[in-house]
């Protein structure tokens, strides 16, 4: 059998022989009993103390299972929180807890469940306070005054000039700041793939065509560069979603930049439903080798140049020959073969998709045939003349 240690030191511990021959001295026994008594008392204190602490912790944990940790006051200081589109209450709650607006995400989720108005919470940036009661934080977010609004809607077909004006009006950032920021397209997030052409023509290295039309909610205190980066990032997302680059390279064997130019023209020339047909006419004219000088001969490129030079666009019937055939116009598409040097507007999703793989047909002419903007097509110039005469009778200018 093994020895049972009762608490003696080595010098005091009796040998196995002495324990067999005689009883241990009374002093040794008393010491042994005292050691056992003390040890038992110590263990009892530890055990009962541990049980008491465990009970306390257990009760606290059980209580937390039913009551979310929450601050008591209305909070102090200021903190800006962003709510992203399509976020759930749990996502918003996690952000608020991370920013120390609320003590726990659970408290905010519970407050949101109790308040029907939480369903109306809008994406954007909110000015809140730190260490707020969850219900107070929700109420403040539902107050329009707490929302930091830099909301701008950019419609399809705007030029960069019109876009910068809208951005400047909404954010109070000078127009010139956007011009300056736009000069470095690579820093804004545009790859060099956008500024090469299969047809070897000159490239207008500008931001035109890349300012994707959408509704934006810009963060507070953002500068012109930050705003343009957000817009370019949205453009890149759309390009990836539509498979634009691979689509035009594989199906059409042209550069993405040329397809973007075609999309920008289709955007201003026709309704969404007609843009595919218009793109095909543009491709037929410049790539088939069957159209006069392989020129586009569209008036929208002329009007674009008039817009960006401050002269304003005109109806086709009012354009002068000197404007249509201006040799100093780098966007002259009446006398210069191929697509112009760059996009003439900022196309939306419909026009981008139209430029990827338009339907095959052998039309070389198109025009608006009524005041609603519907497009008609023709194979020959004589057919186009008849269509144009009818369009004018319908009120088209």
């Amino acid at each position: 059998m093994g020895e049972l240690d009762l608490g003696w030191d080595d010098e005091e511990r009796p040998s196995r022989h002495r324990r067999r021959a005689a009883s241990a001295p009374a002093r040794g026994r008393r010491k042994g009993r005292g050691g056992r008594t003390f040890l038992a008392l110590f263990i009892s204190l530890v055990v009962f103390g541990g049980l008491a602490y465990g009970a306390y912790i257990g009760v606290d944990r059980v209580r937390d299972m039913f009551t979310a940790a929450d601050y008591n006051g209305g909070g102090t200081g200021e903190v800006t929180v962003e709510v992203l589109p399509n976020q759930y209450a749990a996502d918003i709650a996690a952000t608020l807890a991370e920013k120390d607006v609320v003590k726990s995400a659970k408290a905010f989720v519970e407050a949101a469940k109790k308040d029907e108005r939480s369903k109306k919470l809008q994406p954007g940036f909110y000015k809140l306070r730190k260490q707020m009661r969850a219900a107070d934080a929700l109420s403040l977010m539902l107050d329009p005054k707490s929302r930091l609004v830099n909301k701008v809607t950019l419609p399809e077909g705007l030029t960069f000039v019109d876009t910068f004006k809208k951005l400047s009006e909404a954010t109070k950032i000078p127009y010139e700041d956007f011009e300056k920021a736009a000069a470095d397209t690579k820093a804004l997030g545009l790859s060099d793939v956008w500024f090469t052409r299969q047809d070897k023509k000159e490239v207008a290295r500008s931001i035109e065509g890349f300012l994707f039309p959408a509704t934006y909610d810009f963060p507070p205190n953002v500068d012109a560069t930050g705003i343009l980066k957000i817009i370019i990032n949205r453009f890149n997302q759309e390009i990836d979603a539509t498979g634009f680059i691979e689509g035009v390279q594989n199906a059409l064997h042209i550069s993405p930049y040329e397809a973007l130019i075609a999309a920008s023209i289709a955007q201003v020339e026709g309704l969404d439903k007609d843009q595919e047909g218009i793109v095909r006419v543009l491709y037929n004219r410049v790539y088939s080798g069957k159209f006069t000088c392989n020129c586009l001969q569209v008036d929208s490129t002329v009007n674009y140049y008039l817009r960006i030079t401050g002269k304003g666009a005109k109806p086709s019937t009012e354009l002068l020959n000197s404007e249509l055939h201006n040799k100093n116009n780098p966007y002259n598409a009446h006398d210069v073969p191929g697509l112009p040097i760059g996009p003439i507007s900022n196309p939306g999703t419909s026009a981008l998709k139209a430029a990827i793989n338009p339907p095959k047909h052998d039309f070389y002419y198109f025009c608006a045939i009524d005041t609603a903007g519907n497009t008609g097509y023709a194979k020959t110039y004589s057919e186009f003349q008849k269509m144009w005469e009818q369009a004018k009778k319908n009120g088209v200018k």
Side-chain angles (χ1 to χ4, degrees):
M1 293 178 63
E3 292 183 345
L4 182 63
D5 188 353
L6 299 178
W8 286 297
D9 294 333
D10 289 339
E11 294 179 357
E12 297 176 320
R13 181 177 293 123
S15 68
R16 185 184 300 273
H17 175 75
R18 286 177 60 195
R19 287 201 298 273
R20 285 198 189 115
S23 299
R27 182 182 177 186
R29 288 199 300 272
R30 284 198 300 271
K31 185 172 182 180
R33 287 198 298 272
R36 287 196 299 271
T37 303
F38 175 77
L39 183 62
L41 177 61
F42 177 75
I43 292 173
S44 297
L45 289 173
V46 170
V47 170
F48 284 110
L51 289 173
Y53 179 72
Y56 171 77
I57 293 298
V59 169
D60 189 55
R61 287 181 177 173
V62 169
R63 184 172 60 247
D64 284 348
M65 289 174 63
F66 298 98
T67 305
D70 200 358
Y71 289 122
N72 294 322
T76 59
E78 282 188 3
V79 60
T80 299
V81 174
E82 182 181 11
V83 174
L84 299 173
N86 303 317
Q87 277 193 317
Y88 293 105
D91 301 318
I92 300 170
T95 301
L96 294 174
E98 183 182 350
K99 296 263 189 180
D100 197 27
V101 174
V102 297
K103 194 169 186 178
S104 69
K106 187 177 179 182
F108 184 82
V109 171
E110 288 181 355
K113 286 180 179 177
K114 294 175 183 176
D115 195 329
E116 284 291 322
R117 298 178 303 159
S118 63
K119 296 177 181 178
K120 298 180 180 179
L121 196 59
Q122 297 294 313
F125 292 85
Y126 293 84
K127 185 188 292 184
L128 304 173
R129 296 184 291 275
K130 286 197 171 186
Q131 300 186 352
M132 301 184 69
R133 188 184 297 105
D136 292 343
L138 177 60
S139 294
L140 190 55
M141 295 178 78
L142 292 168
D143 183 351
K145 293 179 182 177
S146 71
R147 192 159 180 257
L148 302 172
V149 179
N150 264 333
K151 193 170 186 176
V152 184
T153 297
L154 302 177
E156 292 86 349
L158 293 183
T159 65
F160 77 90
V161 175
D162 295 330
T163 300
F164 290 172
K165 285 179 180 178
K166 286 185 73 69
L167 292 173
S168 180
E169 289 170 4
T171 63
K172 310 307 177 188
I173 297 173
Y175 178 95
E176 293 74 21
D177 287 9
F178 290 103
E179 278 190 315
K180 185 178 179 180
D184 192 346
T185 55
K186 192 166 188 177
L188 295 177
L190 287 174
S191 165
D192 286 336
V193 71
W194 290 109
F195 300 104
T196 58
R197 296 180 63 139
Q198 198 84 3
D199 59 10
K200 308 301 181 185
K201 285 186 66 175
E202 183 184 353
V203 170
R205 196 177 184 96
S206 80
I207 203 169
E208 192 73 275
F210 304 104
L211 298 168
F212 188 75
T215 296
Y216 296 91
D217 206 342
F218 300 114
N221 304 320
V222 68
D223 61 7
T225 299
I227 287 175
L228 294 185
K229 281 183 177 180
I230 291 171
I231 296 175
I232 295 301
N233 182 60
R234 180 69 181 80
F235 169 82
N236 287 333
Q237 290 175 348
E238 194 65 22
I239 291 301
D240 289 343
T242 56
F244 189 89
I245 293 176
E246 298 80 6
V248 299
Q249 289 175 334
N250 297 334
L252 303 173
H253 307 293
I254 62 176
S255 70
Y257 192 65
E258 290 166 79
L260 183 65
I261 295 171
S264 76
I265 295 172
Q267 182 65 72
V268 298
E269 288 281 2
L271 303 173
D272 288 1
K273 68 180 182 66
D274 296 320
Q275 288 167 355
E276 289 184 348
I278 292 171
V279 167
R280 176 52 67 187
V281 169
L282 302 180
Y283 289 161
N284 286 349
R285 288 187 175 191
V286 299
Y287 297 122
S288 70
K290 299 178 181 180
F291 192 72
T292 306
C293 90
N294 298 328
C295 299
L296 282 183
Q297 293 187 352
V298 292
D299 296 340
S300 54
T301 60
V302 177
N303 270 321
Y304 174 73
Y305 184 66
L306 293 177
R307 283 193 183 95
I308 64 173
T309 54
K311 296 171 183 161
K314 297 180 178 180
S316 293
T317 53
E318 296 179 16
L319 286 169
L320 305 175
N321 276 331
S322 59
E323 293 168 332
L324 292 171
H325 303 283
N326 180 3
K327 293 182 179 180
N328 296 319
N329 176 2
Y331 293 86
N332 182 335
H334 281 267
D335 308 301
V336 180
L339 294 162
I341 65 170
I344 66 168
S345 78
N346 290 284
T349 302
S350 174
L352 290 173
K353 288 182 176 179
I356 298 174
N357 193 18
K360 293 182 179 180
H361 62 60
D362 54 357
F363 294 121
Y364 290 89
Y365 298 88
F366 70 88
C367 73
I369 56 175
D370 55 36
T371 55
N374 292 298
T375 298
Y377 302 91
K379 293 181 180 180
T380 66
Y381 184 65
S382 60
E383 290 177 355
F384 168 74
Q385 282 183 311
K386 292 178 182 178
M387 184 171 62
W388 177 237
E389 289 301 321
Q390 183 59 50
K392 286 192 289 185
K393 291 179 181 179
N394 293 338
V396 178
K397 295 182 180 181

